[in-house]
Amino acid sequence: QGTRDHPPAQAALRERLLSTVVSCFKRHGAAAIDTPVLELRETLMGKYGEDTKLIYELQDQGGELLALRYDLTVPFARYLAMNKVNNMKRYHVAKVYRRDNPATTRGRYREFYQCDFDIAGQFDPMIPDAECLKIVHEILSDLQLGDFVIKVNDRRILNGVFAVCGVPESKFITACSTVDKLDKVPWEEVKSEMVGEKGLSPEAADRIGEYVQLHGEHELVGVGSVAGGGRYDGLVGMFDPKGRKVPCVGVSIGIERIFSILEQRLKASGEKLRTTETQVLVVTPQKHLLAARLKLISKLWDAGIKAEMLYKKDPKLLKQLQYCEDTGIPLAAIVGEQELADGVVKLRDVSTREEV
Amino acid sequence: IAKEVAKLLEMKAQLGGDEGKPKFVLKTPKGTRDYGPKQMAIRERVFSAIISCFKRHGAEVIDTPVFELKETLTGKYGEDSKLIYDLKDQGGELLSLRYDLTVPFARYLAMNKITNIKRYHIAKVYRRDNPAMTRGRYREFYQCDFDIAGQFDPMIPDAECLKIVHEILSDLQLGDFVIKVNDRRILDGMFAVCGVPDSKFRTICSSVDKLDKVPWEEVRSEMVGEKGLSPEAADRIGEYVQLHGGLDLIERLLQDAKLSQNKLAKEGLGDMKLLFEYLTLFGITGKISFDLSLARGLDYYTGVIFEAVLLQQENEHVEELVGVGSVAGGGRYDGLVGMFDPKGRKVPCVGVSIGIERIFSILEQKLEASEEKIRTTETQVLVASAQKKLLEERLKLISELWDAGIKAEMLYKKNPKLLNQLQYCEDTGIPLVAIVGEQELKDGVVKLRIVATREEVNIRRESLVEEIRTRTSQP
């Protein structure tokens, strides 16, 4: 439940998408890493707050207690601490697992890709942070998703706002998670949650209200954010035996959401995406020519040409040409008895039907 | 004293122990490992060679979830079922982590009522092996599968699978290799004519399977001692399993008095002959060996089976030869999809799994031995500044380069020393440096330094992108 196979058409689109994202990461000099899908339960516990209940745990089968990774950030922090790395610019594209209640139309699956880019290390202020934002900008532009806006804020500003509005320090985090809902829910509702559920005074809520309205409102309707991130200087320290800190800033690209958008677009446009890259189909028009086909295709493969043939001893010419039309193969290399005698191959352009 | 100690221990327990102290768990689960940048660079090379081979043969790619319903996996792996990772029952469906990519593929075909497809799938699979016992055996590892599903004229797709293995192993330059082939029907036919009772076919098969690691004497004594086979039957098997060769061996066996009486063996031998004819047309029989001792562990093979092994480890400095064993294996499995289809509708399949982890290990060792330095990034140019207070100029220039698609980096320092910036290039293999300096800015040029030769040229700002592209021969 909440998972899906990716048939060739989807997988091909996804490949395109991921390769655009990765090429941007590489353009910025990031190195790739990979971590196991399994982590020790203790590694993940205590890192995700309320979301901890959404972690997939493995059954106790007599060994270590394991769980499936929930994101790529905690594994990254573990990796840095384990390998005593002081600075690194890395990207990691991989699947993560969450026991969300999948509202599949909203694109919230239980197994989904994340594309993370992070810069770890002690550097001059805001330069790496700026590069992260430049990367998001490049990716969203390259993908041609249309207009977008990247909202920025700062935890310190938020906490400062709460403080001057009279929110007790103990309620900073919970107030924060309420304010977070403002992208989906109107101010009135947020205010009543603050006052009604979280026990803030109405005056404090109003004061907060004046500040948090200071922003624009651009959004891709129905989909939510397509990328998010920020600075997290304390995480690696939680893993280091000496509590040694490694400041980090990073971003996670919401690839599944972007994928849904592109998939819908493709459907709407009626454009058919090829699922193979085959350049030529090797064809024989008469019977008893399997050997000739096998020999020719083998030569083509050995020369690096992407070629296919039908798995039939004596296929009909029409069927072979139809196969080209169905799968988008642009050329057909036809060897018939005459061509073999003359030492030539008839090359047919599938779209124009001309033959040379 | 004991009383006092007990009191102290109780107080310590009451304190809760880890209050405020970071709980540091610095390991990956047993049998799993991180891949650092160098390993990823090797991995990428290998994947890219393999994928380009799959694509050359017109395969499509699919992906399936890492977990399957527990019931999907139950009953497909025989004795190996105990090695499956189960997810905790957290109130939903009972799930398990996939054990291979073949069963998910069969499920996918049945679910989508697909009758023919040529697909590849590269992903991680999970097995609760005991890593201590089997060196280099991980619990999480990549599999790289290529399969052709569908009812076709015999042995053509089977031959293509072998051609693919041959191409991949050659492209990766792993040294000399051989691809052993056999057929389940020939094996079963052979057992029958040697007097093995039907009920013992599978268990004798798994004994024969050990012949690549263990000498005949040991296998024979297992068959007689543990599996209850008669010594005569074992000896008869022994005569056959020592045989390997090419078309000549196939012809000989087709004439064999006993085997030619067995329907199954005749069928298998007939197909083997056809296979070899096609492989001859593909020009690869030099590395193919029809080997009667090849058995392959899994239950679901129904026809041709094959396994590729490397013939020699070039690196003799390694104590244990990680990489001994097969680097690819597969075969025909016509009955698997039918197990998933509600109507038992069969879809014949043949495929191969590339042993990517073994290949990584081998290449990793080779690289270490050769001292070739492998880059972990593809950066073409470092944007550097020669004097102080040029951060803004650096940021502007690097942004121009990125927007033009150039792979560029800069140090995250307001006023970095030139020497540190040049050192960074040497350390990470960046071939060029684009240096902004006050004079150059005035003149509208950028100083381009070639790291390897240390020569420097002044390039006009507008031509910089083109210059970088040419010098790094990257578009």
Side-chain angles (χ1 to χ4, degrees):
Chain A
Q1 206 195 355
T3 63
R4 51 176 182 162
D5 294 321
H6 297 304
Q10 283 185 6
L13 183 56
R14 183 163 289 217
E15 211 180 80
R16 247 199 218 181
L17 185 50
L18 290 176
S19 105
T20 304
V21 173
V22 169
S23 94
C24 177
F25 291 158
K26 286 183 169 181
R27 196 181 308 138
H28 288 254
I33 69 162
D34 197 12
T35 64
V37 114
L38 302 167
E39 293 276 350
L40 295 177
R41 249 186 237 177
E42 326 166 35
T43 302
L44 303 185
M45 290 306 150
K47 309 294 183 311
Y48 302 106
E50 287 185 12
D51 287 344
T52 305
K53 60 181 181 325
L54 301 179
I55 297 177
Y56 273 107
E57 290 176 44
L58 262 69
Q59 198 177 92
D60 184 350
Q61 286 167 292
E64 299 162 321
L65 291 180
L66 305 173
L68 297 183
R69 67 182 169 215
Y70 185 84
D71 67 4
L72 301 178
T73 308
V74 165
F76 178 48
R78 176 194 52 67
Y79 175 90
L80 292 176
M82 234 171 102
N83 297 282
K84 299 198 190 329
V85 176
N86 279 319
N87 63 75
M88 176 176 216
K89 183 155 55 175
R90 81 97 182 76
Y91 73 89
H92 189 184
V93 173
K95 289 185 192 168
V96 299
Y97 301 87
R98 301 185 182 181
R99 289 178 62 241
D100 269 346
N101 223 329
T104 48
T105 46
R106 303 279 313 285
R108 253 215 137 134
Y109 290 96
R110 288 179 169 187
E111 175 193 60
F112 57 95
Y113 268 104
Q114 276 199 330
C115 288
D116 279 21
F117 172 91
D118 292 74
I119 300 169
Q122 186 66 53
F123 301 115
D124 287 347
M126 301 321 278
I127 310 179
D129 310 54
E131 186 168 9
C132 281
L133 287 162
K134 174 73 174 157
I135 281 173
V136 177
H137 191 281
E138 282 178 23
I139 290 175
L140 296 184
S141 307
D142 285 350
L143 291 174
Q144 298 178 308
L145 297 165
D147 206 9
F148 61 88
V149 73
I150 307 174
K151 304 188 222 179
V152 289
N153 198 355
D154 193 302
R155 255 295 147 73
R156 296 164 293 179
I157 297 175
L158 269 169
N159 289 345
V161 163
F162 290 150
V164 307
C165 292
V167 177
E169 218 179 294
S170 56
K171 290 201 199 275
F172 275 11
I173 294 182
T174 188
C176 221
S177 78
T178 304
V179 168
D180 194 28
K181 301 187 179 176
L182 271 173
D183 57 351
K184 299 181 195 72
V185 138
W187 167 244
E188 285 316 307
E189 228 177 287
V190 168
K191 179 179 178 202
S192 63
E193 180 179 302
M194 281 197 210
V195 177
E197 283 176 46
K198 311 255 166 133
L200 253 53
S201 76
E203 295 78 33
D206 284 332
R207 264 169 264 158
I208 293 177
E210 280 171 36
Y211 282 106
V212 299
Q213 322 258 29
L214 301 170
H215 68 296
E217 304 233 4
H218 308 266
E219 233 153 283
L220 282 164
V221 182
V223 172
S225 70
V226 286
R231 178 160 282 286
Y232 53 104
D233 289 346
L235 188 62
V236 179
M238 287 174 76
F239 286 97
D240 189 273
K242 298 196 177 123
R244 199 184 49 105
K245 278 183 155 197
V246 177
C248 295
V249 65
V251 60
S252 194
I253 309 290
I255 206 82
E256 297 289 339
R257 291 207 164 119
I258 295 175
F259 180 70
S260 297
I261 295 169
L262 291 179
E263 221 186 348
Q264 276 173 39
R265 268 209 200 151
L266 212 64
K267 252 191 220 163
S269 79
E271 180 192 333
K272 215 175 156 214
L273 204 66
R274 278 195 69 183
T275 56
T276 63
E277 298 177 13
T278 308
Q279 296 163 285
V280 61
L281 188 75
V282 177
V283 171
T284 46
Q286 297 112 2
K287 291 193 167 192
H288 310 305
L289 289 173
L290 176 62
R293 236 185 313 147
L294 291 172
K295 266 214 232 145
L296 178 56
I297 203 174
S298 192
K299 281 215 178 84
L300 295 176
W301 286 332
D302 290 345
I305 300 287
K306 300 182 190 109
E308 284 185 72
M309 59 175 262
L310 296 201
Y311 296 126
K312 275 191 98 52
K313 284 191 295 233
D314 302 311
K316 293 200 168 37
L317 178 60
L318 229 57
K319 283 241 157 75
Q320 294 170 86
L321 297 180
Q322 187 60 47
Y323 182 77
C324 290
E325 305 241 355
D326 293 342
T327 58
I329 300 174
L331 299 170
I334 309 174
V335 274
E337 282 150 13
Q338 192 56 53
E339 288 80 18
L340 282 170
D342 298 340
V344 297
V345 173
K346 197 191 295 254
L347 194 63
R348 178 182 170 112
D349 184 316
V350 174
S351 50
T352 66
R353 301 194 180 181
E354 58 167 296
E355 297 183 338
V356 281
Chain B
I1 292 181
K3 223 170 105 182
E4 289 306 307
V5 169
K7 244 183 22 192
L8 282 171
L9 281 175
E10 218 202 69
M11 281 170 64
K12 184 178 176 202
Q14 278 179 5
L15 280 172
D18 296 307
E19 187 76 60
K21 217 169 153 202
K23 207 167 184 198
F24 39 91
V25 185
L26 286 184
K27 66 186 290 287
T28 54
K30 187 170 168 193
T32 67
R33 57 173 177 156
D34 293 324
Y35 283 82
K38 283 217 159 64
Q39 293 168 313
M40 289 298 283
I42 297 175
R43 204 172 90 170
E44 210 183 298
R45 257 196 213 177
V46 176
F47 279 161
S48 134
I50 291 177
I51 292 173
S52 96
C53 177
F54 289 157
K55 286 184 169 181
R56 196 180 309 136
H57 288 255
E60 301 175 303
V61 64
I62 71 165
D63 196 11
T64 63
V66 90
F67 30 60
E68 296 275 345
L69 296 179
K70 197 171 145 106
E71 23 175 316
T72 302
L73 302 185
T74 313
K76 309 294 184 311
Y77 301 105
E79 284 185 15
D80 288 343
S81 293
K82 59 184 182 323
L83 301 180
I84 298 178
Y85 274 104
D86 290 326
L87 263 69
K88 194 161 123 170
D89 184 350
Q90 288 167 290
E93 299 159 322
L94 284 183
L95 306 170
S96 299
L97 297 183
R98 67 185 166 211
Y99 185 84
D100 67 4
L101 300 177
T102 308
V103 165
F105 177 50
R107 178 201 45 74
Y108 173 87
L109 293 178
M111 230 172 101
N112 297 283
K113 300 198 194 322
I114 293 175
T115 51
N116 65 76
I117 187 174
K118 181 158 53 178
R119 81 93 182 75
Y120 72 90
H121 187 187
I122 300 180
K124 289 183 190 168
V125 300
Y126 301 85
R127 302 184 183 182
R128 290 177 60 242
D129 258 341
N130 209 339
M133 295 184 47
T134 40
R135 199 71 165 84
R137 208 93 185 248
Y138 290 98
R139 289 178 163 187
E140 176 193 63
F141 57 94
Y142 266 101
Q143 273 199 334
C144 198
D145 279 21
F146 171 90
D147 292 76
I148 300 169
Q151 184 66 50
F152 302 114
D153 286 347
M155 302 321 278
I156 310 180
D158 311 54
E160 186 168 9
C161 280
L162 289 163
K163 174 73 174 153
I164 282 173
V165 176
H166 191 279
E167 280 178 24
I168 289 175
L169 296 183
S170 306
D171 285 350
L172 290 174
Q173 298 179 309
L174 298 165
D176 207 9
F177 62 89
V178 73
I179 308 175
K180 306 187 221 176
V181 290
N182 198 356
D183 193 299
R184 250 301 147 70
R185 295 164 293 177
I186 297 175
L187 270 169
D188 286 351
M190 180 180 84
F191 292 151
V193 308
C194 290
V196 177
D198 268 20
S199 56
K200 291 200 197 283
F201 272 17
R202 294 281 73 86
T203 187
I204 294 299
C205 212
S206 76
S207 291
V208 171
D209 193 26
K210 302 184 178 175
L211 272 171
D212 56 353
K213 301 183 193 69
V214 139
W216 167 244
E217 282 318 307
E218 225 176 288
V219 169
R220 184 185 183 278
S221 61
E222 178 181 291
M223 287 203 263
V224 176
E226 285 175 45
K227 311 232 168 153
L229 202 62
S230 77
E232 294 79 33
D235 286 331
R236 265 171 263 159
I237 293 178
E239 279 172 36
Y240 283 113
V241 297
Q242 324 254 31
L243 299 171
H244 55 86
L247 264 167
D248 49 314
L249 175 60
I250 301 170
E251 292 291 3
R252 207 169 13 122
L253 291 175
L254 277 166
Q255 307 299 323
D256 181 285
K258 284 179 274 179
L259 278 179
S260 56
Q261 300 298 324
N262 183 284
K263 185 162 165 247
L264 218 50
K266 254 175 73 175
E267 219 178 87
L269 285 167
D271 276 350
M272 191 59 67
K273 182 168 170 192
L274 194 54
L275 179 67
F276 264 79
E277 282 168 12
Y278 294 156
L279 297 179
T280 307
L281 290 166
F282 281 159
I284 62 175
T285 46
K287 297 237 195 306
I288 312 278
S289 168
F290 170 37
D291 190 324
L292 280 157
S293 70
L294 178 66
R296 301 287 296 154
L298 294 162
D299 280 350
Y300 51 62
Y301 290 121
T302 55
V304 75
I305 52 180
F306 49 87
E307 196 169 278
V309 290
L310 298 183
L311 289 182
Q312 217 175 24
Q313 286 309 298
E314 279 175 36
N315 185 355
E316 271 110 30
H317 301 297
V318 177
E319 283 168 334
E320 275 195 70
L321 288 166
V322 182
V324 150
S326 67
V327 284
R332 178 161 281 286
Y333 53 104
D334 289 347
L336 190 61
V337 179
M339 287 174 75
F340 287 95
D341 188 272
K343 298 198 178 123
R345 200 183 47 101
K346 279 182 153 198
V347 176
C349 297
V350 64
V352 61
S353 193
I354 309 291
I356 205 95
E357 296 286 345
R358 290 216 163 111
I359 294 176
F360 287 159
S361 298
I362 294 166
L363 289 178
E364 254 177 318
Q365 280 170 38
K366 269 202 179 171
L367 221 62
E368 233 158 279
S370 80
E371 288 175 17
E372 177 194 332
K373 206 166 171 234
I374 193 167
R375 282 193 67 184
T376 57
T377 61
E378 299 179 11
T379 308
Q380 296 162 279
V381 60
L382 185 80
V383 175
S385 48
Q387 299 109 1
K388 288 191 167 194
K389 304 227 173 84
L390 288 170
L391 174 61
E392 264 188 47
E393 294 304 324
R394 256 189 301 146
L395 290 171
K396 269 206 238 156
L397 179 57
I398 204 175
S399 193
E400 272 173 43
L401 295 177
W402 286 332
D403 290 345
I406 298 290
K407 301 180 188 114
E409 285 184 65
M410 61 178 264
L411 296 201
Y412 296 125
K413 274 192 98 52
K414 285 192 295 243
N415 301 307
K417 294 198 169 36
L418 186 60
L419 227 57
N420 285 344
Q421 294 168 92
L422 298 180
Q423 188 60 48
Y424 182 77
C425 290
E426 304 243 356
D427 294 341
T428 57
I430 301 173
L432 300 170
V433 195
I435 310 175
V436 284
E438 278 150 21
Q439 191 55 50
E440 288 82 6
L441 284 166
K442 289 205 190 101
D443 300 338
V445 296
V446 174
K447 194 188 298 272
L448 194 62
R449 178 182 169 112
I450 294 98
V451 176
T453 63
R454 301 189 180 185
E455 56 167 299
E456 295 182 340
V457 282
N458 280 348
I459 310 287
R460 293 216 57 79
R461 184 104 167 196
E462 325 72 85
S463 318
L464 185 61
V465 168
E466 199 46 52
E467 188 69 30
I468 294 173
R469 285 194 186 133
T470 315
R471 283 177 183 272
T472 55
S473 39
Q474 277 187 56

